[in-house]
């Protein structure tokens, strides 16, 4: 019997709208459990072998010479190379099989190469040439010459060294990549005597080793591979579990340590003095509710100095603000396994990579594949202030796109006279000193130049005057809907970069119930925060917004 053309067209339309509906439902399902983090896309493949509930494992990021961005994600069978330049449309460029199926793969990059290891079966070290991306990836090395199974690798890129831990050979295997990245040479196999190392962060030949079964942190100097030295250790800390992995801040002062154990918090550790390593504070996610505390933090990654991204089993991608290390707070999250409602077993988010230049964040979920998300929380992490010492004229002229910060006074343009003890902060722009043009040379609006003691110590100037030529700065805040039921949105405008911002929610008794933003160097622009009020009782609340010297308070009603 012949098909009726109209019926065929109807069937096609039904099929199209069914697929569209299911896609939108899947997107909305993932978007239901989130705070200040938005889903861009999800890539998955249900044809890959499932081993004990695990299909996908670790993840890393890569950027090619043209600026295209990629997620490199491991699965039980393959290493996958996925173009995420368009975050809403991930495209798998290639997948290359391992020599055996494995629950565990770990991937890192160096130059235009990716290095992949596995910790199960007849494993090998595999090296992939990425220079032909986005067209293809070529496997250039596949051998068990140095080790077969390896649990994790880390590459100290400036020193061209690959560190492999959790191997079937020794505690640490160190390979040299400097001469031939596609064909490494062995520097040393090292037995450190402190037990199995699960993961290790390395910077400038110094390794921060997570000895998982003894729950200890040791710091080693591998500069001389024939004579590694112990620089410090932390053998006791609160809420102790299995020391799984760690990461170190850009300034080297803070280490974040995750125990892969139920109901154990993530630790913030002071490593500024390796002879006196000490715990500062702890934090944890309890996304399933305040009465369910068995969450498991898996892998932490410090972004700059002030933020930590953590891949949490069950709780997805979590972002914590640690700009005040003694008082960290949860700033954003996205649950990659939102249909899960308990903390049974180990399932959900395995890894996260927050370092792509676009600001997009890539994460791997054991059952649900690759996620590309983006946080609306205003990340603004800065280098330490640069101090310029010297004797300067007491009067400085500033261009309109510069600003002055001294004793909490901001002046846009104009002139200011300072005492010798004043501290001046020059933000990006041009400064004219005694008629000569001086460029502050700050390409990153986040950075600041601090000029200490601009006057000669004998200067007797006792006045401080400001001539403002620019319009007054206005900080804006809008809260809606108000009243609200479960979710409220707080939109605000920051006209000046590097502004100290605090956004908190208080109940009618004056008790703080949530901190949404706390940073000393906020970006300029328009921002939107999400107030998750599911756990708040009905009643009156106050939104307290502080930006620089401005304070704005708005009433909120939950009903």
């Amino acid at each position: 019997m012949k098909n009726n053309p109209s019926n065929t067209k109807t069937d096609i339309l039904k099929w199209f709208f069914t697929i569209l509906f299911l896609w939108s439902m899947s997107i909305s399902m993932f978007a239901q459990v989130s705070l200040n983090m938005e889903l861009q896309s999800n890539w998955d493949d249900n044809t890959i072998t499932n081993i004990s509930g695990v299909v996908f494992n670790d993840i890393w990021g890569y950027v090619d010479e043209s600026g295209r961005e990629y997620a490199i994600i491991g699965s039980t069978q393959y290493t996958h190379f996925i173009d995420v330049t368009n975050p809403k449309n991930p495209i798998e460029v290639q997948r290359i099989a391992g020599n055996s199926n494995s629950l565990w793969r770990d991937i890192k990059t160096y130059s235009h190469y990716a290095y992949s290891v596995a910790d199960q079966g007849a494993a090998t070290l595999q090296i992939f040439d990425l220079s032909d991306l986005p067209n293809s990836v070529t496997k250039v090395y596949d051998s068990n010459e140095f080790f077969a199974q390896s649990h994790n690798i880390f590459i100290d890129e400036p020193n061209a060294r690959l560190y492999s831990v959790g191997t079937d050979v020794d505690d640490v295997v160190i390979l040299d990549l400097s001469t031939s990245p596609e064909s490494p040479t062995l520097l040393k196999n090292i037995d450190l005597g402190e037990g199995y190392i699960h993961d290790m962060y390395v910077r400038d030949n110094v390794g921060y080793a997570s000895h998982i079964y003894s729950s200890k942190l040791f710091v080693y100097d591998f500069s001389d591979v024939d004579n590694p030295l112990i620089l410090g250790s932390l053998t006791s800390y609160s809420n102790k579990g299995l020391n799984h992995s760690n990461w170190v801040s850009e300034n080297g002062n803070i280490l974040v340590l995750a125990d892969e154990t139920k109901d154990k918090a993530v630790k913030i550790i002071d490593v500024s003095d390796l002879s006196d390593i000490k715990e500062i504070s702890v934090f944890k996610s309890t996304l399933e509710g305040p009465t369910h505390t068995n969450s498991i933090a898996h892998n932490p990654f410090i972004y700059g100095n002030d933020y930590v991204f953590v891949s949490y089993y069950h709780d997805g991608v979590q972002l914590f603000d640690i700009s005040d290390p003694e008082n960290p707070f949860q700033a954003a999250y996205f649950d990659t396994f939102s249909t899960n409602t308990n903390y049974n077993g180990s399932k959900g988010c395995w890894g996260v990579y927050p370092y792509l230049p676009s600001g997009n964040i890539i994460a791997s979920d054991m059952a649900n594949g690759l996620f590309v998300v983006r946080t609306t929380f205003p990340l603004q992490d800065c280098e330490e202030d640069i101090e310029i010492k010297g004797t300067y004229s007491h009067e400085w002229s500033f261009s309109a796109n510069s600003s002055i910060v001294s004793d909490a006074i901001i002046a846009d343009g104009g002139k200011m006279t300072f005492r010798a003890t004043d501290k001046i902060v020059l933000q990006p722009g041009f400064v004219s000193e005694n008629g000569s043009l001086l460029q502050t040379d700050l390409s990153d609006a986040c950075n600041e130049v601090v000029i200490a003691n601009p006057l000669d110590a004998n200067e007797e100037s006792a006045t401080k005057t400001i001539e403002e030529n620019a319009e007054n700065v206005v900080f804006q805040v809008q809260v809606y809907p108000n009243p609200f039921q479960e979710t409220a949105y707080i939109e605000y405008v920051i006209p000046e970069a590097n502004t100290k911002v605090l956004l908190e929610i208080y109940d009618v008794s004056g008790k703080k119930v949530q901190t949404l933003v706390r940073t000393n160097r906020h970006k300029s622009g328009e921002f939107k925060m999400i107030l998750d009020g599911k756990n708040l009782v009905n009643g009156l609340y106050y939104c307290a917004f502080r930006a620089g010297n401005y304070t704005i308070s708005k009433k909120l009603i939950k009903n």
Side-chain angles (χ1 to χ4, degrees):
M1 183 174 66
K2 292 183 178 180
N3 290 330
N4 185 320
S6 62
N7 289 342
T8 302
K9 184 180 292 184
T10 301
D11 290 342
I12 292 173
L13 287 172
K14 286 181 178 179
W15 174 83
F16 173 78
F17 285 113
T18 299
I19 295 298
L20 183 63
F21 171 76
L22 291 174
W23 177 83
S24 64
M25 286 297 290
S26 66
I27 293 294
S28 63
M29 175 189 71
F30 288 127
Q32 283 174 356
V33 186
S34 63
L35 173 70
N36 299 327
M37 202 170 283
E38 300 171 345
L39 176 66
Q40 303 295 299
S41 59
N42 170 228
W43 175 92
D44 196 3
D45 184 345
N46 59 12
T47 67
I48 299 171
T49 299
N50 183 316
I51 303 176
S52 302
V54 175
V55 177
F56 297 95
N57 37 64
D58 208 16
I59 191 168
W60 199 248
Y62 175 73
V63 182
D64 68 19
E65 291 185 354
S66 66
R68 300 188 69 85
E69 298 181 345
Y70 303 88
I72 308 175
I73 183 172
S75 69
T76 55
Q77 293 178 266
Y78 307 97
T79 302
H80 304 257
F81 303 87
I82 301 174
D83 189 334
V84 293
T85 308
N86 179 354
K88 297 186 181 299
N89 183 34
I91 299 172
E92 183 180 35
V93 176
Q94 200 158 340
R95 62 178 64 183
I96 298 178
N99 288 284
S100 62
N101 292 348
S102 177
L103 280 169
W104 302 278
R105 294 192 193 280
D106 191 71
I107 310 108
K108 298 294 187 295
T109 57
Y110 173 75
S111 182
H112 57 85
Y113 297 94
Y115 300 77
S116 181
V117 297
D119 193 13
Q120 198 170 19
T124 59
L125 167 64
Q126 295 184 316
I127 304 176
F128 309 102
D129 188 341
L130 311 178
S131 60
D132 192 42
L133 284 172
N135 301 310
S136 66
V137 175
T138 303
K139 182 171 68 173
V140 293
Y141 182 92
D142 191 344
S143 172
N144 60 6
E145 174 186 0
F146 306 114
F147 51 80
Q149 296 177 358
S150 170
H151 197 77
N152 268 291
I153 55 175
F154 195 96
I155 299 177
D156 184 3
E157 295 189 52
N159 293 289
R161 287 183 175 184
L162 182 151
Y163 292 78
S164 178
V165 297
T167 75
D168 53 358
V169 179
D170 265 312
D171 292 340
V172 181
V173 177
I174 306 178
L175 304 182
D176 181 11
L177 308 179
S178 61
T179 304
S180 180
E182 73 280 3
S183 182
T185 57
L186 178 66
L187 284 176
K188 196 72 175 180
N189 293 342
I190 302 176
D191 181 3
L192 294 166
E194 294 296 336
Y196 181 88
I197 299 175
H198 179 274
D199 207 341
M200 185 164 67
Y201 177 93
V202 186
R203 181 188 297 174
D204 196 22
N205 299 320
V206 175
Y208 300 78
S210 289
H211 293 275
I212 187 168
Y213 298 122
S214 62
S215 298
K216 296 177 182 178
L217 172 75
F218 273 81
V219 184
Y220 302 96
D221 185 348
F222 294 108
S223 300
D224 179 358
V225 295
D226 294 319
N227 184 34
L229 303 174
I230 297 177
L231 300 180
S233 64
L234 182 69
T235 59
S236 179
Y237 52 86
S238 68
N239 207 221
K240 200 172 186 180
L242 295 173
N243 181 356
H244 178 270
S245 57
N246 69 81
W247 204 265
V248 179
S249 61
E250 283 187 4
N251 60 21
N253 293 332
I254 297 294
L255 177 144
V256 172
L257 182 156
D259 291 291
E260 191 184 14
T261 311
K262 285 187 176 182
D263 199 25
K264 300 302 180 186
V266 180
K267 288 79 183 175
I268 300 178
I269 309 296
D270 183 349
V271 290
S272 59
D273 179 358
L274 293 178
S275 66
D276 184 25
I277 299 175
K278 52 195 174 187
E279 179 182 319
I280 300 174
S281 63
V282 301
F283 63 84
K284 70 179 300 187
S285 170
T286 54
L287 191 57
E288 301 301 337
T291 60
H292 301 283
T293 61
N294 284 328
S295 62
I296 304 174
H298 195 218
N299 290 311
F301 297 87
I302 299 181
Y303 182 94
N305 300 310
D306 294 343
Y307 308 97
V308 179
F309 286 87
V310 184
S311 58
Y312 255 92
Y313 292 159
H314 310 95
D315 282 7
V317 179
Q318 297 279 330
L319 168 63
F320 290 84
D321 186 316
I322 62 166
S323 54
D324 178 359
E326 295 182 354
N327 297 286
F329 67 91
Q330 186 182 49
Y333 58 78
F334 184 90
D335 190 356
T336 60
F337 198 1
S338 58
T339 56
N340 177 71
T341 57
N342 59 60
Y343 287 129
N344 295 334
S346 299
K347 57 187 77 171
C349 190
W350 182 295
V352 59
Y353 184 87
Y355 305 117
L356 292 176
S358 64
N360 293 319
I361 301 152
I362 52 177
S364 57
D365 184 278
M366 287 181 268
N368 297 312
L370 167 69
F371 284 79
V372 184
V373 298
R374 191 173 184 88
T375 180
T376 57
F377 184 82
L379 300 178
Q380 184 74 353
D381 198 86
C382 301
E383 298 294 328
E384 294 297 312
D385 293 338
I386 305 166
E387 186 173 0
I388 302 175
K389 297 180 179 179
T391 302
Y392 302 92
S393 167
H394 72 279
E395 188 174 279
W396 290 65
S397 296
F398 294 83
S399 64
N401 63 346
S402 297
S403 59
I404 311 165
V405 179
S406 179
D407 295 338
I409 297 175
I410 301 176
D412 292 323
K415 300 177 181 179
M416 183 179 282
T417 304
F418 298 94
R419 294 188 179 95
T421 57
D422 287 336
K423 178 182 179 181
I424 311 172
V425 178
L426 305 181
Q427 293 174 343
F430 295 89
V431 180
S432 174
E433 180 186 7
N434 297 331
S436 62
L437 191 66
L438 171 67
Q439 185 175 0
T440 58
D441 193 25
L442 296 178
S443 58
D444 184 352
C446 175
N447 290 331
E448 299 174 338
V449 173
V450 176
I451 297 182
N453 299 330
L455 297 179
D456 189 303
N458 296 322
E459 178 68 42
E460 295 181 355
S461 172
T463 61
K464 185 185 294 183
T465 61
I466 303 174
E467 295 178 13
E468 291 188 331
N469 298 323
E471 295 181 0
N472 292 331
V473 174
V474 177
F475 296 91
Q476 301 175 9
V477 180
Q478 181 182 4
V479 181
Y480 64 91
N482 195 12
F484 73 100
Q485 292 182 342
E486 288 193 351
T487 302
Y489 299 92
I490 302 171
E491 293 185 351
Y492 60 96
V493 176
I494 303 294
E496 292 284 342
N498 303 319
T499 301
K500 184 175 182 177
V501 174
L502 189 63
L503 178 57
E504 298 175 319
I505 307 299
Y506 291 84
D507 65 17
V508 70
S509 70
K511 178 184 176 182
K512 182 172 65 177
V513 295
Q514 283 193 33
T515 300
L516 299 181
V517 180
R518 180 177 61 228
T519 179
N520 290 328
R521 297 183 176 103
H522 201 299
K523 291 187 294 187
S524 61
E526 299 179 2
F527 301 92
K528 181 168 71 172
M529 293 293 104
I530 301 173
L531 170 60
D532 183 358
K534 290 193 293 291
N535 295 325
L536 299 180
V537 299
N538 292 348
L540 177 64
Y541 295 88
Y542 291 91
C543 168
F545 176 80
R546 300 177 183 87
N549 289 331
Y550 290 82
T551 300
I552 300 172
S553 180
K554 290 184 176 289
K555 291 182 180 179
L556 269 167
I557 299 174
K558 181 184 178 183
N559 60 18

